[in-house]
Amino acid sequence: MSRPGVGAVLRRCAECGGHEYGGAPACARCRGLVDGIVEEPWGVLLRQWDIATGDEERALAGMVLAEPDRHDWRVVDAALDRLVCPDCGDRLARGPAGCPACDLAHGFRYAAIETDRPGVPPGNEHAIRVNVSVVRRPHVTSDSEVLVRRLLLPLLLVGFLPSTEEAQRLGAHLKKSPPQRRAQVAERAVRAPAGQLSRTPPAARAAASSPTSRDTPAASPRRSARGRPR
């Protein structure tokens, strides 16, 4: 399944009941959808190179990681999954917090290309890749951050982007909330933008996000600075 496009309707997951993608990592179906975000472009690359799985695929992964700044972030993340960490034995960059080789690989992944889609606020693609990274390696992040990022991911995928102030306000609110109430607080915080997206007809949203719109930024490739958080 391709990731949803800009202006797509938010859909409910048949397994967890939340918005699709937002139930990961606990919901197996949502987790598979999130993994599919990076697996689909990797499959395209394999077909372009006429490569099957196995040693040739791992060799291609090594080539991609040797020049991450020449590849889309999804391809780089998928390449990391194909290699084994020499220190911890897990998938590279997916090992336990403090693993030297995984931490190094995780830092280099942010040299990859991030291209904002037409009709989204600048930085939407970076937000998606950060949230995907957190959801796919939750063991190195606080429970509160994983909670917020997984709930926001479905909205980001259809073109939403919270302001810095909104994100900081939610983070501060969560820190003040008792642990047993944080899920409720986070869900309430994303309910308003999710409801707005659901009420707006897809055709109207597509028109509003058109690259020909006066206030719509054009798609642009960007690279994150090495060491950027997440």
Side-chain angles (χ1 to χ4, degrees), residues 128-202:
I128 290 173
R129 67 97 42 96
V130 170
N131 285 31
V132 166
S133 174
V134 169
V135 169
R136 297 184 81 219
R137 51 197 303 272
H139 53 285
V140 300
T141 311
S142 70
D143 291 343
S144 293
E145 183 169 356
V146 173
L147 171 65
V148 173
R149 292 193 178 279
R150 72 171 177 82
L151 291 176
L152 281 175
L153 182 56
L155 282 69
L156 297 173
L157 288 169
V158 298
F160 173 75
L161 184 67
S163 67
T164 301
E165 293 74 17
E166 288 171 332
Q168 291 175 341
R169 186 163 56 247
L170 176 56
H173 196 181
L174 281 180
K175 287 180 180 178
K176 295 177 182 178
S177 303
Q180 65 272 19
R181 292 194 63 247
R182 287 176 182 169
Q184 180 182 2
V185 170
E187 289 170 358
R188 188 166 58 244
V190 303
R191 195 174 299 155
Q196 179 61 39
L197 289 169
S198 298
R199 287 191 298 270
T200 306

Side-chain angles (χ1 to χ4, degrees), residues 19-221:
H19 291 124
E20 287 184 335
Y21 298 85
C27 171
R29 183 172 182 275
C30 287
R31 187 170 64 248
L33 290 174
V34 174
D35 286 340
I37 293 174
V38 301
E39 287 299 318
E40 185 176 37
W42 180 257
V44 171
L45 184 65
L46 290 182
R47 290 190 292 274
Q48 290 175 343
W49 283 72
D50 193 22
I51 288 177
T53 57
D55 291 341
E56 286 187 334
E57 183 182 24
R58 286 187 288 273
L60 179 61
M63 291 171 58
V64 168
L65 295 179
E67 298 179 309
D69 57 323
R70 297 185 59 183
H71 300 278
D72 182 85
W73 70 268
R74 294 166 295 172
V75 171
V76 171
D77 279 18
L80 287 167
D81 286 344
R82 267 71 190 174
L83 300 181
V84 176
C85 173
D87 290 342
C88 70
D90 205 333
R91 284 176 290 180
L92 191 57
R94 299 277 292 273
C99 172
C102 283
D103 288 348
L104 182 64
H106 178 62
F108 277 115
R109 83 197 310 157
Y110 283 93
I113 297 170
E114 301 167 353
T115 305
D116 279 324
R117 297 165 294 172
V120 301
N124 172 263
E125 190 69 14
H126 177 70
I128 290 173
R129 67 97 42 96
V130 170
N131 285 31
V132 166
S133 174
V134 169
V135 169
R136 297 184 81 219
R137 51 197 303 272
H139 53 285
V140 300
T141 311
S142 70
D143 291 343
S144 293
E145 183 169 356
V146 173
L147 171 65
V148 173
R149 292 193 178 279
R150 72 171 177 82
L151 291 176
L152 281 175
L153 182 56
L155 282 69
L156 297 173
L157 288 169
V158 298
F160 173 75
L161 184 67
S163 67
T164 301
E165 293 74 17
E166 288 171 332
Q168 291 175 341
R169 186 163 56 247
L170 176 56
H173 196 181
L174 281 180
K175 287 180 180 178
K176 295 177 182 178
S177 303
Q180 65 272 19
R181 292 194 63 247
R182 287 176 182 169
Q184 180 182 2
V185 170
E187 289 170 358
R188 188 166 58 244
V190 303
R191 195 174 299 155
Q196 179 61 39
L197 289 169
S198 298
R199 287 191 298 270
T200 306
R205 271 185 275 144
S209 64
S210 168
T212 61
S213 174
R214 180 168 59 94
D215 297 323
T216 300
S220 58

